[in-house]
């Protein structure tokens, strides 16, 4: 397919192809126009139109690979010329893909959750169904088409994000495309694709930070530390956090929240973004049952909104305060021991609860881990509690302050019912009901265990009326396991026993013992205060007497305790460091192995893709080349009016583009060469005819015009002579008139010459004096300037001489240092040369030894070869002697046979009546029997070749002499008898070919009389130098005619 040279022609051609329904050809034309080397780095409005049409066709034909290549090429064009054009093209491309998906969804109603992975060509269940079914059903075809549309839109988002990820002027479109992709995943419930999209955005942002800070970045490169860039990224991440929570991707939502916190630490975010961050962070912690940080997030959100938003309504503020209060109440009660001390003592690394809590606290930009008491205290101190709804405030006061174990549930039930109805804030506080009931139940259990030792189940059900007893049993078991409440259920007595005997440990007994001691101390002070005072006085006296000893003892114990604590801490830290190093080493090795495996897999996949891409490119190039060749062949066939050329049984005019995949390129090339050869021959023939016709025409024209040339030459000569004469006369007349006018003008001006001279002298006299004065002044200035310049040059020469002297001193010093270095270098080179000479001598000795060994081996091989050659010569000599003996024996046998035949002929009575024999040996009557041996000497070479293939006639005729009378001649290769393995058929055919041109048949006797006996010595059989006898008139053509006929046959013509 030929590519148009101008973009306008390519666009026009593509529109024509679209009109006739050839959209694929139109797409190929536009793609080739974009990739053309002339417009590769040139942007015009026509290129923009081509790109828009190109992408529309890609969307329609679902050619994502072609669209990707076109977008990358167009980005290169627009990078420096008009980057806004790329923004427009990308938006149109994205809009077209989204419209296609909308049309597909309207045409067919389907559940997106049932659709397979959009990054796969086909879902696994589709492949299995295809393997089972012979043909796809209509529903399966429609589903596959819709899947292809959705997959194309998903690939569109990925390609656009990849194209726009690093250009600062396209950053807005980049984030807009990301938000469109988020909305696509949310509307179609695509959590897996959303995960991959988040990973892609995270990777793109990390790559922006990988650029070296020392090097100069490109002008269009995105700066990740720019405030606008951070703000756009923050808005996109907040949208990503929102969609993550809607799709229940809580792990990804938490990771996005950490990224948002990092971005907010670099730039001040907008107030609504920070409020959204706190809100969704609270949802994440609520989903993970971390009520502590959920309450802390609600508190931070309430504080921030109250401080930042001035025009907030009372209802919004009341909702936020109610959520913060209820979330705080939902936080489980901690054990009586300090949480920080407990968590720090149980810390075993970064995965400990305390470390996790610190990590969560960092997301709120606080250094300490919040507690339930600190959050409740903040609500009270900052005046946030009065902002909540009335039921929420009542519950807070009931749970946190009052001690009413028997009426706690009955008092809290009305407030819980008000919240559970959903009328308050449209049911946004309903999710807190169940955690609140658990907290109230645990509070009830704690208070009952402090007051009662046992209680009947009926009374307990009445006291815990907010939940049925079946649920209360589970919560009691949970309270005993997690909150340290000692409780047992005695089903036989239908009673609940508090403070049942359990395993006693110091942690569980410490606080009760302290409380008992305080109570007993208070009781003793009330019952017997005097006794207590006396006892205190005695104890004080005892303490004062041995206070020094006790101080020293306690100091020693404290010091020992500190040392023991330090030792244990060091041992714990050392053990922890060792475990961490081992874990890090294992993790590093695992990561290295995984990274190596991943690199190997990616490299294999990349090589595979490269091979496939290269093979596809070669196939496409071959297809385009064959298509262009076929089009040219069709045009040439139409012009030459010869369309009978066929390729694999099909005429050229019948071959279409679809047949190119089935045709052999070699046959296409052969057909092309055959067509070119035929066209060339036709052109040569036409040119010969044209040349011949032109030669005849030119000769005829010359013959006809020859008669008129002489007359024409004479007429032209006369016309030229007349014209020259006339022109010369006219020129003389004009010159004469001009001369007369000039003479008249001179006579008029002569009268004023003297007056002009007087006026000139008067004017010039005054000016001459002024000129002389100015000339003298200028001369004086020039002399002064010359003197100044001479002085300046003298000073410059003096300065140059001083500099030259310094330079000579410096050069002399450098020359001295250079000579010293050269001497040191010369000594080093001599030392190295000596070492090199010694090494070379050692190598030469080694080479000589190797050469001698090689020479000895060659000499031995040569001797063996000579011995073999001598043995071969001896064997050849023996074979030659044996052959000579065989030839001599056969010659003797032939001579004996000849003598026998002569004797037999002499005895025949009718010898005189026998017709004369032919001299050329073609008479069949003179042939001997089949068992006669062939003659060895005399006769024609061709006769001897025939004698070897069939029974030859007797050689007695012809010249009247026999082969004994012929002079001896040199033996030829053809004279030897046939041996085993010789080609008898070749010899026979050669004899036949030589006799094929004879004019008369060998079966008829020769009419010529027998030659005389005295002609024997002058015949060509006698070995004379005159050559062979002449052929008869009816014989074969001579050698020159035969050679000429052969040349004519080779040329394809005929001499006749």
């Amino acid at each position: 397919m030929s590519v148009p040279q101008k973009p306008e022609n390519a666009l026009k051609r593509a529109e024509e192809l679209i009109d006739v329904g050839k959209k694929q050809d139109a797409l190929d034309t536009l793609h080739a126009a974009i990739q053309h080397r002339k417009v590769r780095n040139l942007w015009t409005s026509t290129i923009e139109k081509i790109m828009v049409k190109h992408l529309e066709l890609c969307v329609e034909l679902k050619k994502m690979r072609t669209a990707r290549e076109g977008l990358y090429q167009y980005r290169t064009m627009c990078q420096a010329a008009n980057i806004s054009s790329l923004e427009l093209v990308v938006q149109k491309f994205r809009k077209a893909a989204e419209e296609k998906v909308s049309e597909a969804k309207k045409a067919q109603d389907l559940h997106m959750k049932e659709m397979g992975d959009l990054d796969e060509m086909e879902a696994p269940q589709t492949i299995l169904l295809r393997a089972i079914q012979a043909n796809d059903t209509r529903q399966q075809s429609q589903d596959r088409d819709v899947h292809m549309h959705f997959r194309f839109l998903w690939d569109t988002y990925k390609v656009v994000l990849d194209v726009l990820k690093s250009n600062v002027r396209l950053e807005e479109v980049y984030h807009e495309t990301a938000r469109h992709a988020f909305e696509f995943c949310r509307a179609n419930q695509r959590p897996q694709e959303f995960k991959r999209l988040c990973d892609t955005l995270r990777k793109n942002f990390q790559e922006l930070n990988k650029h070296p800070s020392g090097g100069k970045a490109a002008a269009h490169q995105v700066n990740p530390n720019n405030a606008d860039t951070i703000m756009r990224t923050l808005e996109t991440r907040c949208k990503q956090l929102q969609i993550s929570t809607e799709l229940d991707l809580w792990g990804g939502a938490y990771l996005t929240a950490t990224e948002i916190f990092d971005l907010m630490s670099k730039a001040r975010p907008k107030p609504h973004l920070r409020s959204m961050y706190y809100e969704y962070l609270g949802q994440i912690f609520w989903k993970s049952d971390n009520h502590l940080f959920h309450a802390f997030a609600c508190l931070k959100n309430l504080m921030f909104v109250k401080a930042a938003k001035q025009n907030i309504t009372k209802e919004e503020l009341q909702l936020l305060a109610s959520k913060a209060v209820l979330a705080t109440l939902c936080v489980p009660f901690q054990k009586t021991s300090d949480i920080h001390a407990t968590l720090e003592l149980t810390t075993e690394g970064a995965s400990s609860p305390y470390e996790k809590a610190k990590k969560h606290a960092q997301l709120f930009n606080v250094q300490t881990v919040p507690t339930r008491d600190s959050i409740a205290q903040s609500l009270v101190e900052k005046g946030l509690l009065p902002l909540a709804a009335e039921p929420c405030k009542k519950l807070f006061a009931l749970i946190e302050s009052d001690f009413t174990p028997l009426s706690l549930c009955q008092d809290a039930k009305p407030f819980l019912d008000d919240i559970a109805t959903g009328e308050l804030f449209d049911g946004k506080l309903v999710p807190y009901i169940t955690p609140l009931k658990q907290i109230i139940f645990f509070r009830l259990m704690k208070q009952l265990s402090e007051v009662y030792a046992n209680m009947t189940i009926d009374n307990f059900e009445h006291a815990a009326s907010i939940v049925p007893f079946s649920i209360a049993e589970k919560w009691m078991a949970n309270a005993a396991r997690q909150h340290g409440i000692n409780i047992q259920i005695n089903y036989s007595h239908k009673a609940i026993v508090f403070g049942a005997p359990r395993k006693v440990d110091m942690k569980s007994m410490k606080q009760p013992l302290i409380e008992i001691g305080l109570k007993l101390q208070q009781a003793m002070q009330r019952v017997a205060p005097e006794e207590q005072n006396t006892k205190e006085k005695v104890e004080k006296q005892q303490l004062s007497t041995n206070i020094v000893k006790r101080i020293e003892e306690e100091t020693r114990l404290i010091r020992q305790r500190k040392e023991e604590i330090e030792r244990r801490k060091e041992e714990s830290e050392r053990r922890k460091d060792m475990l961490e190093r081992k874990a890090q080493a294992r993790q590093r090795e695992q990561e290295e192995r995984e990274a190596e495996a991943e690199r190997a897999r990616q490299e294999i996949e990349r090589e595979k893709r490269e091979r496939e891409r290269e093979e596809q490119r070669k196939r496409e190039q071959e297809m385009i080349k064959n298509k262009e060749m076929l089009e040219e062949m069709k045009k040439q066939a139409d012009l030459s009016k010869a369309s009978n050329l066929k390729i694999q049984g099909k005429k050229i005019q019948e071959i279409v583009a679809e047949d190119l995949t089935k045709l052999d390129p070699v046959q296409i090339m052969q057909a092309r060469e055959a067509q070119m050869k035929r066209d060339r021959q036709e052109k040569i023939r036409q040119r010969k005819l044209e040349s011949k016709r032109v030669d005849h025409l030119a000769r005829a024209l010359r013959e006809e015009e020859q008669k008129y040339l002489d007359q024409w030459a004479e007429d032209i000569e006369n016309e030229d002579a007349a014209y020259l004469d006339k022109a010369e006369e006219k020129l003389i007349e004009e010159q004469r008139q001009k001369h007369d006018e000039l003479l008249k003008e001179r006579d008029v001006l002569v009268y004023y010459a003297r007056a002009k001279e007087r006026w000139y002298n008067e004017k010039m006299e005054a000016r001459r004096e002024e000129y002389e004065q100015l000339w003298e002044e200028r001369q004086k200035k020039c002399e002064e300037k010359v003197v100044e310049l001479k002085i300046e040059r003298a000073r410059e020469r003096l300065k140059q001489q001083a500099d030259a002297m310094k330079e000579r001193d410096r050069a002399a010093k450098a020359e001295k240092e250079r000579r010293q270095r050269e001497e040191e270098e010369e000594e080093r080179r001599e030392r190295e040369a000596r070492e090199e000479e010694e090494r070379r001598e050692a190598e030469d000795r080694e080479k000589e030894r190797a050469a001698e060994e090689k020479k000895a081996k060659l000499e031995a091989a040569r001797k063996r070869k000579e011995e073999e050659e001598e043995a071969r010569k001896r064997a050849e000599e023996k074979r030659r002697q044996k052959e000579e003996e065989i030839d001599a024996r056969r010659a003797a046998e032939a001579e004996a046979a000849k003598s026998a035949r002569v004797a037999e002929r002499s005895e025949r009575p009718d010898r005189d009546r026998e017709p004369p024999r032919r001299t050329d040996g073609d008479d069949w009557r003179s042939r001997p029997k089949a068992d006669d041996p062939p003659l060895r000497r005399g006769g024609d070479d061709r006769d001897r070749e025939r004698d070897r293939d069939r029974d030859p006639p007797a050689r007695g005729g012809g010249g009247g002499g026999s082969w004994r009378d012929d002079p001896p001649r040199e033996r030829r290769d053809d004279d030897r008898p046939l041996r085993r393995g010789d080609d008898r058929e070749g010899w026979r055919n050669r004899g036949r070919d030589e006799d094929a041109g004879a004019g008369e048949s060998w079966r008829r006797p020769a009419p010529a009389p027998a030659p005389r006996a005295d002609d024997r010595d002058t015949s060509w059989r006698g070995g004379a130098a005159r050559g062979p006898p002449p052929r008869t008139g009816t014989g074969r053509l001579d050698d020159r005619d035969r050679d000429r006929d052969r040349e004519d046959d080779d040329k394809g013509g005929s001499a006749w």
Side-chain angles (χ1 to χ4, degrees), residues 35-48:
Q35 299 289 340
H36 200 275
R37 55 184 178 83
K38 291 186 177 180
V39 297
R40 188 171 295 171
N41 297 319
L42 177 66
W43 180 90
T44 60
S45 58
T46 306
I47 297 296
E48 180 179 342

Side-chain angles (χ1 to χ4, degrees), residues 699-920:
R699 184 165 59 251
L701 289 174
R702 287 197 297 272
E703 289 177 356
E704 290 295 329
E705 72 180 0
Q706 187 66 33
K707 297 182 291 185
Y708 303 98
L709 285 176
D710 297 338
Q711 184 65 32
W712 175 79
E714 185 177 353
D715 294 342
I716 291 297
E717 185 177 359
N718 295 333
E719 291 176 1
D720 292 344
Y723 177 78
L724 290 174
D725 293 341
K726 185 177 180 181
E728 187 176 359
E729 291 176 358
K730 184 177 180 180
L731 180 61
I732 292 172
E733 184 65 25
E734 290 176 353
Q735 290 178 354
R736 184 180 293 109
Q737 292 177 2
K738 187 175 181 181
H739 180 68
D740 294 342
E741 291 174 357
L742 291 174
L743 288 176
K744 291 178 182 180
E745 185 178 357
R746 186 199 62 180
D747 295 340
V748 172
L749 295 176
V750 165
Y751 178 75
Y752 303 99
R754 295 180 180 179
K756 178 254 181 187
E757 290 292 334
R758 286 196 303 273
W759 178 83
Y760 175 77
N761 292 331
E762 291 175 359
K763 294 293 182 181
M764 293 301 296
E765 187 67 26
R767 294 179 64 181
R768 188 175 293 109
E769 293 177 359
E770 183 180 358
Y771 168 74
E772 290 176 355
Q773 182 179 358
L774 293 174
W775 186 83
E776 289 176 358
E777 292 176 357
R778 180 175 177 80
Q779 191 69 19
K780 185 177 180 181
K781 289 182 180 179
C782 290
E783 290 176 356
E784 292 176 356
K785 186 68 175 176
V786 168
V787 172
E788 292 177 359
L789 291 175
K790 285 184 178 180
I791 294 171
E792 185 67 25
R793 286 195 297 273
R795 290 175 180 173
E796 186 69 24
R797 284 196 300 273
L798 183 61
K799 183 179 179 181
Q800 291 178 357
Q801 289 175 0
D803 294 341
M805 188 175 295
K806 292 180 181 180
E807 185 66 27
R808 283 196 298 274
D809 294 341
R810 188 161 53 251
K813 186 177 179 181
E815 181 66 22
K816 184 177 179 181
E817 294 177 354
R818 185 183 62 79
R819 289 178 179 175
Q820 186 176 359
R821 288 195 302 272
E822 287 180 353
E823 290 175 358
E824 294 175 357
E825 184 68 21
E826 185 65 27
E827 291 177 0
R828 185 182 63 79
R829 283 198 298 268
E830 290 178 358
R831 185 170 61 255
E832 292 179 354
R834 287 194 300 272
E835 295 175 357
E836 182 67 21
E837 185 65 27
E838 293 175 358
R839 183 182 61 80
R840 192 179 296 108
E841 289 177 357
E843 291 180 355
D844 292 342
R845 288 193 297 272
E846 184 68 24
K847 289 181 181 178
E848 289 177 358
R849 185 170 61 255
E852 290 176 357
E853 294 177 357
K854 185 176 181 182
K855 186 176 180 181
K857 292 180 180 179
L858 293 175
E859 184 66 24
R862 187 182 61 80
K863 289 181 179 180
R864 285 196 304 271
K865 188 174 181 181
E866 289 179 353
E867 293 175 356
E868 293 175 356
E869 185 67 22
E870 290 178 358
R872 188 184 62 79
K873 287 183 179 180
R874 287 193 297 271
E876 184 68 22
E877 184 66 25
K878 290 180 180 179
R879 184 184 60 79
R880 191 180 298 111
Q881 292 177 359
K882 189 176 293 185
E883 288 180 355
E884 288 178 356
E885 292 175 358
I886 294 171
D887 291 342
R889 187 170 60 252
R890 290 183 177 178
E893 293 176 356
E895 185 176 355
K898 179 70 173 180
S899 301
R901 284 197 299 273
V902 170
E904 184 180 356
R905 281 196 300 269
S906 62
E907 295 175 356
R908 291 175 60 182
D910 52 346
R911 176 181 179 184
D912 296 335
R913 291 192 299 272
E914 190 178 30
R917 302 182 184 275
R918 291 187 55 181
T919 59
D920 54 0

Side-chain angles (χ1 to χ4, degrees), residues 374-388:
S374 64
I375 296 174
Q377 186 178 0
S378 298
L379 287 173
V380 176
E381 291 178 354
K382 297 183 182 298
L384 302 176
L385 183 61
L387 299 176

Side-chain angles (χ1 to χ4, degrees), residues 366-485:
V366 294
Q367 301 300 324
T368 59
V369 178
T371 61
R372 188 178 192 276
D373 297 335
S374 64
I375 296 174
Q377 186 178 0
S378 298
L379 287 173
V380 176
E381 291 178 354
K382 297 183 182 298
L384 302 176
L385 183 61
L387 299 176
E390 191 66 25
C392 300
K393 292 190 289 185
K394 295 293 184 180
L395 282 173
F396 186 84
L398 184 63
I399 296 174
E400 293 295 325
S401 303
D402 298 340
F403 184 80
T404 56
L406 294 179
S407 62
L408 178 62
C409 293
Q410 285 79 3
D411 296 340
K413 188 173 182 181
F415 308 125
L416 293 175
D417 293 339
D418 292 341
I419 298 173
T421 55
E423 297 178 357
L424 192 62
F425 304 115
D426 298 331
K428 294 182 180 179
L429 302 179
V430 174
Y432 293 100
I433 296 299
T434 302
L436 280 174
K437 289 182 178 180
Q438 290 181 353
I439 292 298
I440 293 171
F441 182 79
F442 294 148
R443 188 72 168 175
L444 173 65
M445 294 292 298
K446 185 70 175 176
Q447 293 179 359
L448 290 176
S449 64
E450 293 176 358
V451 176
Y452 298 98
N454 51 54
M455 178 182 287
T456 62
I457 294 177
D458 295 336
N459 293 333
F460 182 80
E461 288 181 354
H462 179 72
S465 59
I466 58 175
V467 292
F469 187 72
S470 59
I471 299 177
E473 288 179 320
K474 298 179 181 177
W475 287 1
M476 280 190 287
N478 190 17
R481 184 175 63 254
Q482 295 182 357
H483 297 273
I485 299 175

Side-chain angles (χ1 to χ4, degrees), residues 182 194-203 240 244:
F182 291 156
F194 183 78
K195 285 183 182 178
R196 299 191 188 103
L197 178 62
C198 296
D199 294 338
T200 301
L201 295 176
R202 193 174 298 112
K203 180 182 177 182
Q240 179 179 337
S244 298

Side-chain angles (χ1 to χ4, degrees), residues 257-371:
T258 58
E259 295 175 357
I260 293 175
F261 175 75
D262 294 337
L263 292 172
M264 287 194 300
S265 63
K266 297 180 182 178
R268 186 187 182 112
K270 297 179 181 179
H272 74 280
L273 295 179
R274 186 180 289 274
S275 177
M276 183 187 298
Y277 168 71
Y278 286 139
E279 180 181 356
Y280 286 108
L281 195 59
Q283 293 183 16
I284 294 170
F285 287 122
W286 178 263
K287 195 68 179 179
S288 61
D289 293 334
N290 195 336
H291 297 93
L292 175 63
F293 283 97
H294 170 71
F296 193 62
C298 293
L299 176 64
K300 296 287 286 185
N301 189 21
L302 174 61
M303 295 169 58
F304 177 76
V305 171
K306 182 183 177 183
K309 194 173 182 180
Q310 302 297 331
N311 57 350
I312 185 172
T313 62
K314 185 178 179 180
E315 289 77 9
E316 293 179 359
L317 189 60
Q318 190 177 19
L319 173 61
L320 293 176
S322 301
K323 289 181 67 174
V325 171
L326 294 182
T328 304
L329 293 177
C330 291
V331 178
F333 291 102
Q334 297 165 350
K335 298 181 181 180
T336 54
S337 59
D338 187 25
I339 182 173
H340 297 288
T342 304
L343 291 175
E344 287 176 357
L345 290 176
T346 58
T347 298
E348 291 296 338
S351 61
S352 65
Y354 186 68
E355 291 297 330
K356 290 182 180 179
K358 287 181 65 177
K359 185 178 179 182
H360 296 334
Q362 290 177 358
L363 296 177
F364 299 95
N365 200 15
V366 294
Q367 301 300 324
T368 59
V369 178
T371 61

Side-chain angles (χ1 to χ4, degrees), residues 29-70:
T29 302
L30 294 177
H31 190 68
I34 294 171
Q35 299 289 340
H36 200 275
R37 55 184 178 83
K38 291 186 177 180
V39 297
R40 188 171 295 171
N41 297 319
L42 177 66
W43 180 90
T44 60
S45 58
T46 306
I47 297 296
E48 180 179 342
K49 295 177 183 178
I50 290 176
M51 193 64 205
V52 171
K53 183 64 69 176
H54 176 270
L55 293 177
E56 289 177 356
L57 290 174
C58 289
V59 172
E60 202 164 338
L61 299 175
K62 297 186 282 293
K63 298 290 184 181
M64 177 48 64
R65 180 178 178 181
T66 307
R68 184 187 296 110
E69 293 176 357

Side-chain angles (χ1 to χ4, degrees), residues 525-539:
Q525 287 179 357
R526 291 180 181 179
V527 172
E530 298 177 356
E531 232 179 273
Q532 188 70 21
N533 293 332
T534 306
K535 187 177 180 181
E536 288 180 357
K537 289 180 181 179
V538 173
E539 289 178 356

